[in-house]
Amino acid sequence: MQRGSDRLSRHHDDEMKHQLQGLLRSGHPTRVEEWHDPEPMADDDPELAMGGRVPSDTFEALRLELARHLARTPFPAHRGDLLRVLRERHAPDPLRERVETLPDDHTYRSVQEVAKALHRG
Protein backbone atom coordinates (compact mmCIF):
# COMPACT_ATOMS: atom_id res chain seq x y z
CA MET A 1 0.00 0.00 0.00
CA GLN A 2 1.38 3.35 -1.07
CA ARG A 3 1.18 6.24 1.36
CA GLY A 4 1.86 9.84 0.63
CA SER A 5 0.30 12.93 -0.85
CA ASP A 6 0.00 11.70 -4.46
CA ARG A 7 -2.92 13.32 -6.19
CA LEU A 8 -2.92 10.83 -9.06
CA SER A 9 -3.90 7.21 -8.95
CA ARG A 10 -1.30 4.57 -9.74
CA HIS A 11 -3.17 3.77 -12.97
CA HIS A 12 -3.07 7.40 -14.10
CA ASP A 13 0.60 7.65 -13.16
CA ASP A 14 1.39 4.57 -15.29
CA GLU A 15 -0.50 6.10 -18.23
CA MET A 16 1.57 9.27 -17.99
CA LYS A 17 4.82 7.26 -17.88
CA HIS A 18 3.72 5.36 -20.99
CA GLN A 19 2.96 8.62 -22.84
CA LEU A 20 6.39 10.04 -22.02
CA GLN A 21 8.32 6.86 -22.79
CA GLY A 22 8.82 7.65 -26.50
CA LEU A 23 9.96 11.19 -25.78
CA LEU A 24 12.43 10.07 -23.13
CA ARG A 25 13.93 7.39 -25.36
CA SER A 26 14.20 9.48 -28.52
CA GLY A 27 15.43 12.76 -27.07
CA HIS A 28 13.22 14.80 -29.42
CA PRO A 29 9.47 15.48 -29.79
CA THR A 30 7.50 12.48 -30.93
CA ARG A 31 4.21 14.18 -31.71
CA VAL A 32 3.02 15.11 -35.17
CA GLU A 33 1.32 18.32 -34.11
CA GLU A 34 3.93 21.02 -33.82
CA TRP A 35 1.84 23.01 -31.35
CA HIS A 36 3.01 20.52 -28.72
CA ASP A 37 6.63 21.63 -29.22
CA PRO A 38 8.02 24.41 -27.06
CA GLU A 39 8.19 27.85 -28.63
CA PRO A 40 11.68 28.70 -29.98
CA MET A 41 13.52 31.74 -28.70
CA ALA A 42 12.50 34.99 -30.40
CA ASP A 43 15.02 37.03 -32.39
CA ASP A 44 14.05 40.18 -30.54
CA ASP A 45 14.88 38.76 -27.10
CA PRO A 46 17.41 41.18 -25.60
CA GLU A 47 20.13 38.59 -25.02
CA LEU A 48 19.75 37.06 -28.48
CA ALA A 49 19.19 40.06 -30.72
CA MET A 50 22.54 40.21 -32.49
CA GLY A 51 21.61 41.70 -35.82
CA GLY A 52 22.64 38.58 -37.78
CA ARG A 53 26.22 38.66 -36.55
CA VAL A 54 27.89 35.86 -34.70
CA PRO A 55 28.81 36.70 -31.13
CA SER A 56 32.57 36.45 -30.89
CA ASP A 57 33.24 38.53 -27.82
CA THR A 58 32.46 35.84 -25.25
CA PHE A 59 32.50 32.08 -25.22
CA GLU A 60 29.06 31.93 -23.57
CA ALA A 61 27.46 34.06 -26.26
CA LEU A 62 28.94 31.85 -28.99
CA ARG A 63 27.80 28.68 -27.20
CA LEU A 64 24.31 30.12 -26.78
CA GLU A 65 24.03 30.98 -30.47
CA LEU A 66 25.25 27.51 -31.49
CA ALA A 67 22.87 25.81 -29.06
CA ARG A 68 20.01 27.87 -30.40
CA HIS A 69 20.52 26.50 -33.91
CA LEU A 70 21.87 23.03 -33.08
CA ALA A 71 19.22 22.09 -30.52
CA ARG A 72 18.03 18.51 -31.01
CA THR A 73 20.98 17.74 -33.29
CA PRO A 74 22.16 14.17 -32.88
CA PHE A 75 25.71 14.10 -31.57
CA PRO A 76 28.42 12.96 -32.23
CA ALA A 77 28.59 14.91 -35.48
CA HIS A 78 31.13 15.95 -38.09
CA ARG A 79 31.50 19.40 -39.62
CA GLY A 80 29.32 18.40 -42.60
CA ASP A 81 26.50 17.30 -40.29
CA LEU A 82 26.66 20.58 -38.39
CA LEU A 83 26.63 22.64 -41.59
CA ARG A 84 23.64 20.71 -42.94
CA VAL A 85 21.65 21.37 -39.75
CA LEU A 86 22.64 25.04 -39.67
CA ARG A 87 21.56 25.42 -43.31
CA GLU A 88 18.23 23.66 -42.66
CA ARG A 89 17.53 25.85 -39.63
CA HIS A 90 18.45 29.08 -41.41
CA ALA A 91 21.36 30.00 -39.16
CA PRO A 92 23.08 33.32 -39.89
CA ASP A 93 25.73 33.20 -42.62
CA PRO A 94 28.56 34.36 -40.31
CA LEU A 95 27.87 31.44 -37.96
CA ARG A 96 27.88 28.95 -40.84
CA GLU A 97 31.11 30.47 -42.17
CA ARG A 98 32.78 29.99 -38.79
CA VAL A 99 31.65 26.35 -38.64
CA GLU A 100 33.08 25.82 -42.14
CA THR A 101 36.53 26.59 -40.73
CA LEU A 102 36.38 23.55 -38.43
CA PRO A 103 38.41 20.49 -39.47
CA ASP A 104 36.30 17.95 -41.34
CA ASP A 105 37.98 14.90 -39.86
CA HIS A 106 37.13 15.71 -36.23
CA THR A 107 34.04 14.34 -34.46
CA TYR A 108 32.25 16.69 -32.07
CA ARG A 109 30.38 15.15 -29.16
CA SER A 110 28.36 18.21 -28.09
CA VAL A 111 27.59 21.86 -28.74
CA GLN A 112 30.08 22.64 -25.99
CA GLU A 113 32.90 20.97 -27.99
CA VAL A 114 31.93 22.86 -31.15
CA ALA A 115 31.93 26.16 -29.25
CA LYS A 116 35.33 25.42 -27.71
CA ALA A 117 36.80 24.61 -31.13
CA LEU A 118 35.37 27.78 -32.67
CA HIS A 119 36.40 29.99 -29.76
CA ARG A 120 40.00 28.76 -29.97
CA GLY A 121 40.21 29.28 -33.73
Side-chain angles (χ1 to χ4, degrees), residues 10-117:
R10 185 171 8 138
H11 176 70
H12 189 60
D13 191 36
D14 289 341
E15 275 183 31
M16 290 174 64
K17 285 179 186 176
H18 179 70
Q19 289 175 356
L20 285 175
Q21 192 172 28
L23 174 64
L24 295 174
R25 284 186 181 173
S26 68
H28 58 81
T30 56
R31 299 179 189 256
V32 175
E33 300 91 1
E34 70 179 46
W35 60 268
H36 285 289
D37 290 343
E39 190 81 18
M41 300 296 281
D43 289 336
D44 60 349
D45 285 348
E47 302 86 32
L48 299 178
M50 302 189 193
R53 69 187 193 290
V54 177
S56 58
D57 51 344
T58 68
F59 172 75
E60 287 301 318
L62 176 62
R63 187 176 62 82
L64 177 64
E65 186 72 7
L66 282 168
R68 205 171 135 227
H69 295 286
L70 295 176
R72 300 183 184 153
T73 300
F75 282 95
H78 294 319
R79 182 188 71 182
D81 301 325
L82 299 172
L83 288 171
R84 179 183 48 79
V85 171
L86 290 173
R87 206 171 20 258
E88 288 172 357
R89 297 187 182 158
H90 309 288
D93 289 336
L95 182 63
R96 289 194 311 230
E97 290 167 2
R98 284 188 72 179
V99 172
E100 285 175 357
T101 65
L102 293 172
D104 192 34
D105 58 347
H106 187 73
T107 302
Y108 301 94
R109 294 179 293 174
S110 65
V111 171
Q112 180 84 8
E113 271 192 24
V114 176
K116 283 180 182 177

